[in-house]
């Protein structure tokens, strides 16, 4: 090759390298600029103050509970929901409340039915039931989201039993769009569980590999289901989740677009789309608000879509680095309009952390209004009922839970607390003793039992608890102070040794007036015991 040819090649090479360098530099500049812009938007969104709502009074809460108790005596779940009171002085729109009651409490195909029909070889009958549910969802306003609710209720938890049942369903009915949709839906849940809840940078590669493998299985089954029947809405919702989890924004947005083209007012698809557009995934608060605004175009026909309006504020509350009291006030503002079960439950737990029994009781009750099967919430609400002196209602609630699960230590403890505050010491003692046998290391239960034993002068049982506490945690003063209380009140020998131990190991701060007063009290009791007749120590 001639020299000038080499020169041209060299110039072209340098131009190519220079062009690539310029393009790469341009891309890096664009990437950095985009990140800086996004960070600025996130800072501005975070800096915006949260909304502020009002607090509930005890009078309002008691009035609310009067009405709630009347409603909860109604046997039919839908009628109970419709008869339930809204939060005091709130502005829940009645058509939205009615629609949400019907959405949450409508009759659905249960997983027990799915398993029984598959196990008995009647998969085609099951297909017919799912087809009827889809038809109802598409044609009956009172059956909005029925197929979505079935998938959420039956297949949202990854388990070996569900996986086996769905695989058998596919084998029995290889052309069933519902079988493949359910299988893909559950594979998506399995992928989520495999990944875990940590940031991707903190997730082991083995977990990422497992997630990707399961996500591909989910994708294959979901695509096959939609090829057979493009109307199956929960398949699109699962694909949106896969987009956020591993396949990327475009995959998720495409699923949302196609799903809403088939079912324009589907709440579940809108909800998953809004999740994908959260700032911690691919979007922003502005993008979430745009989705909510888009949904409101159909809200007159489908009042459920108004639930999406609070999405951006609910996200801000969850992510805010602020006090429990500030979060609770924001929830009160958001829940002036009807909120989802998740928002109601989150608000109630925030109220618990903030030490606000009024809001805690009202929001837990409202969550149970729309989802009576929230067992943990129901147990929490038992303590709330006790707080507002609704002892019979509280024990009845615990009785119903224990009729379903006789060995539930949390329900037993809750009922024991209701009995204790109601001054029914024999029943309280029985429940706390049962709870202690179920969980011998529960210090709270031992504390309640020791109080009962002290009050009823069951000294030996109280002494056994003191010994147990001291043996388990000798560095904790709880067991020692219980021992001192028994030695004072029974009385029982050894108070001087216990007092010396407490003073030398725990109450060493001579500036602490409360500690000093306690030790002084013990010394005074010792002096009285020393001056009493000899047989008093055994009286």
């Amino acid at each position: 090759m001639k020299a000038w040819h080499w020169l041209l090649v060299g110039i072209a090479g340098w131009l190519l390298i220079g062009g690539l360098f310029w393009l790469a530099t341009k891309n890096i500049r664009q990437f950095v600029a985009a990140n800086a812009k996004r960070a600025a938007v996130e800072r501005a969104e975070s800096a915006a103050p949260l909304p502020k709502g009002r607090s509930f009074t005890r009078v309002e809460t008691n009035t609310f509970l009067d009405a709630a108790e009347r409603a909860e005596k109604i046997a039919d779940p839908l009628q109970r929901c419709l008869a339930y009171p809204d939060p005091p002085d709130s502005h829940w729109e009645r058509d939205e409340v009615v629609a949400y009651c019907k959405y949450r409490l409508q009759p659905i195909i249960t997983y027990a039915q799915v398993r029984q029909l598959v196990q008995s070889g009647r998969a085609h009958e099951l297909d017919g039931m799912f087809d009827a549910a889809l038809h109802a969802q598409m044609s009956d306003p009172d059956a909005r989201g029925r197929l979505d609710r079935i998938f959420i209720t039956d297949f949202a938890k990854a388990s070996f039993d569900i996986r086996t049942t769905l695989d058998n369903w596919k084998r029995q009915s290889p052309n069933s769009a519902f079988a493949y949709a359910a299988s893909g839906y559950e594979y998506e849940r399995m992928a989520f569980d495999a990944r875990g809840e940590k940031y991707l940078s903190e997730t082991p590669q083995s977990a990422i590999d497992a997630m990707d493998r399961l996500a591909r299985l989910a994708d294959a089954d979901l695509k096959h289901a939609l090829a057979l029947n493009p109307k199956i809405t929960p398949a699109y919702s699962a694909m949106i989740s896969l987009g956020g989890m591993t396949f990327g924004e475009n995959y998720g947005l495409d699923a949302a677009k196609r799903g809403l083209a088939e079912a324009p007012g589907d709440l579940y698809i809108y909800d998953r789309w809004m999740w994908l557009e959260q700032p911690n995934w691919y979007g922003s608060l502005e993008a979430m608000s745009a989705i909510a605004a888009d949904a409101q175009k159909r809200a007159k026909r489908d009042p459920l879509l108004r639930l999406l309006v609070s999405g951006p504020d609910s996200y801000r509350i969850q992510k805010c680095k602020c006090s429990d009291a500030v979060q609770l006030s924001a929830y009160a503002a958001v829940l002036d309009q009807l909120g989802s079960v998740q928002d109601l439950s989150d608000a109630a737990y925030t109220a618990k952390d903030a030490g606000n029994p009024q809001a805690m009781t009202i929001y837990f009750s409202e969550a149970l209004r729309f989802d009576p099967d929230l067992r943990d919430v129901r147990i929490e609400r038992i303590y709330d009922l006790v707080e507002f002196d609704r002892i019979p209602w509280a024990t009845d609630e615990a009785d119903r839970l224990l009729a379903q699960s006789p060995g539930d230590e949390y329900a037993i403890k809750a009922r024991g607390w209701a009995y204790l505050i109601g001054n029914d010491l024999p029943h309280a003692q029985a429940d706390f003793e049962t709870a202690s046998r179920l969980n011998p290391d529960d210090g709270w239960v031992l504390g309640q039992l020791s109080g009962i034993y002290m009050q009823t002068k069951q000294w030996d049982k109280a002494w056994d608890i003191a010994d147990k506490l001291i043996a388990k945690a000798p560095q904790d003063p709880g067991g020692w102070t219980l021992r001192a209380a028994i030695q004072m009140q029974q009385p029982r020998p050894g108070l001087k040794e216990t007092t010396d131990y407490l003073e030398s190991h725990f109450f060493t701060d001579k500036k602490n007036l409360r500690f000093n007063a306690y030790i002084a009290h013990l010394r005074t009791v010792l002096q009285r015991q020393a001056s009493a007749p000899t047989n008093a120590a055994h009286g």
Side-chain angles (χ1 to χ4, degrees):
M1 185 180 289
K2 295 182 179 180
W4 63 272
H5 285 162
W6 286 110
L7 179 62
L8 288 176
V9 170
I11 292 171
W14 279 109
L15 287 172
L16 176 63
I17 293 170
L20 291 174
F21 178 77
W22 175 85
L23 182 61
T25 304
K26 180 183 178 184
N27 287 342
I28 291 171
R29 286 199 302 268
Q30 289 176 339
F31 179 77
V32 171
N35 271 358
K37 182 179 179 181
R38 183 178 182 130
V41 170
E42 288 182 358
R43 283 195 299 272
E45 291 175 340
S46 299
L50 290 171
K52 295 181 180 180
R54 63 182 292 273
S55 299
F56 303 120
T57 67
R58 289 190 73 89
V59 171
E60 287 177 323
T61 307
N62 275 306
T63 302
F64 171 87
L65 287 173
D66 289 339
E69 185 172 13
R70 288 192 297 271
E72 292 200 17
K73 291 177 181 177
I74 299 173
D76 179 78
L78 176 57
Q79 296 306 313
R80 182 192 314 132
C81 184
L82 295 173
Y84 218 86
D86 299 339
D89 201 32
S90 61
H91 298 87
W92 290 12
E93 297 184 57
R94 185 61 184 175
D95 63 338
E96 187 182 0
V97 170
V98 171
Y100 199 44
C101 284
K102 291 178 177 179
Y103 172 74
R104 297 288 314 194
L105 299 168
Q106 61 185 304
I108 63 170
I109 303 164
T110 66
Y111 174 68
Q113 290 175 292
V114 173
R115 180 173 55 183
Q116 195 273 330
L117 288 169
V118 170
Q119 288 179 345
S120 59
R122 296 152 62 194
H124 290 295
E125 182 180 336
L126 183 61
D127 292 335
M129 293 169 63
F130 270 81
D131 190 58
L134 175 58
H135 178 74
Q137 174 172 290
M138 294 169 58
S139 60
D140 183 358
D142 288 344
R144 290 185 180 99
R146 179 163 296 180
L147 189 67
D148 297 332
R149 291 297 306 153
I150 293 169
F151 272 65
I152 293 168
T153 305
D154 293 358
F155 310 127
K157 181 177 73 172
S159 77
F160 177 78
D161 182 75
I162 295 176
R163 183 75 261 153
T164 301
T165 297
L166 298 181
D167 288 341
N168 288 339
W169 186 6
K170 288 192 295 184
R171 281 192 292 271
Q172 284 184 41
S173 190
N175 295 318
S176 169
F178 299 104
Y180 276 92
S183 176
Y185 189 95
E186 211 255 345
Y187 271 134
E188 184 272 323
R189 290 292 83 197
M190 293 173 68
F192 183 85
D193 286 357
R195 181 198 185 284
E197 297 184 0
K198 293 183 178 180
Y199 289 109
L200 204 62
S201 60
E202 302 172 356
T203 303
Q205 187 61 44
S206 59
I208 295 173
D209 293 341
M211 174 193 70
D212 287 338
R213 177 180 62 81
L214 291 164
R216 287 192 294 272
L217 292 172
D219 175 63
D221 276 359
L222 293 168
K223 285 179 177 175
H224 186 59
L226 292 174
L228 292 168
N229 186 343
K231 299 291 185 183
I232 301 180
T233 49
Y236 297 107
S237 300
M239 293 177 85
I240 295 170
S241 295
L242 288 172
M245 193 188 315
T246 183
F247 291 148
E249 182 182 17
N250 290 337
Y251 177 98
L253 292 177
D254 179 67
K257 180 180 178 180
R258 290 189 294 120
L260 290 174
E262 296 290 345
D266 191 85
L267 175 65
Y268 193 25
I269 294 175
Y270 266 116
D271 179 74
R272 288 289 81 197
W273 182 19
M274 184 175 282
W275 167 84
L276 185 71
E277 292 288 21
Q278 288 178 349
N280 60 326
W281 288 107
Y282 293 104
S284 64
L285 292 176
E286 183 180 3
M288 294 175 71
S289 297
I291 294 170
D294 182 74
Q296 299 319 295
K297 298 172 185 176
R298 298 183 59 88
K300 286 186 178 179
R301 283 173 288 178
D302 189 349
L304 283 175
L305 295 173
R306 292 187 209 129
L307 286 165
L308 297 164
V309 172
S310 63
D313 276 337
S314 295
Y315 176 84
R316 292 176 61 216
I317 296 169
Q318 294 164 13
K319 298 296 182 181
C320 91
K321 297 178 180 178
C322 51
S323 69
D324 295 324
V326 170
Q327 281 188 301
L328 178 58
S329 179
Y331 270 123
V334 168
L335 293 173
D336 181 59
Q337 301 294 323
L338 176 63
S340 68
V341 168
Q342 187 63 59
D343 280 344
L344 290 164
S345 180
D346 288 345
Y349 280 110
T350 300
K352 179 182 178 180
D353 293 339
N356 188 314
Q358 296 88 249
M360 179 170 56
T361 304
I362 289 169
Y363 291 139
F364 273 141
S365 297
E366 293 291 359
L368 291 169
R369 171 188 190 174
F370 298 107
D371 191 347
D373 296 327
L374 294 172
R375 190 173 186 84
D376 291 347
V377 169
R378 195 166 290 281
I379 288 174
E380 291 282 2
R381 212 267 300 261
I382 291 172
Y383 292 96
D384 298 338
L385 295 176
V386 174
E387 166 72 22
F388 287 91
D389 299 320
R390 312 284 170 142
I391 305 300
W393 186 3
T395 55
D396 286 347
E397 285 277 273
D399 286 343
R400 280 192 286 271
L401 289 173
L402 289 167
Q404 299 169 6
S405 301
D408 186 338
E409 67 169 288
Y410 297 101
I412 293 169
K413 288 195 293 186
R415 187 176 65 179
W417 178 252
Y419 282 136
L420 179 62
I421 300 304
N423 204 34
D424 185 346
L425 297 185
H427 281 104
Q429 178 176 328
D431 274 349
F432 284 129
E433 286 176 342
T434 300
S436 186
R437 286 192 294 272
L438 291 169
N439 185 359
D441 293 328
D442 191 323
W444 183 80
V445 170
L446 293 177
Q448 307 315 311
L449 275 175
S450 65
I452 293 170
Y453 293 152
M454 292 292 288
Q455 190 173 345
T456 54
K457 296 181 170 52
Q458 300 179 68
W459 307 116
D460 288 341
K461 289 184 177 182
W463 191 263
D464 287 343
I465 289 179
D467 284 347
K468 184 183 294 186
L469 292 174
I470 291 169
K472 181 183 176 183
Q475 75 284 2
D476 190 291
W480 296 97
T481 54
L482 176 57
R483 176 176 286 183
I486 299 167
Q487 289 168 329
M488 282 191 292
Q489 294 180 40
Q490 185 179 8
R492 182 175 291 216
L495 179 58
K496 181 181 184 306
E497 290 75 12
T498 304
T499 302
D500 291 344
Y501 192 90
L502 282 167
E503 186 173 17
S504 61
H505 287 76
F506 304 113
F507 301 142
T508 56
D509 183 1
K510 302 305 180 184
K511 295 181 180 179
N512 190 311
L513 299 178
R514 183 169 63 87
F515 289 170
N516 290 337
Y518 175 69
I519 294 298
H521 173 66
L522 293 180
R523 299 293 182 195
T524 301
V525 173
L526 278 170
Q527 291 176 358
R528 285 203 304 264
Q529 288 182 356
S531 62
T534 306
N535 63 351
H538 306 286

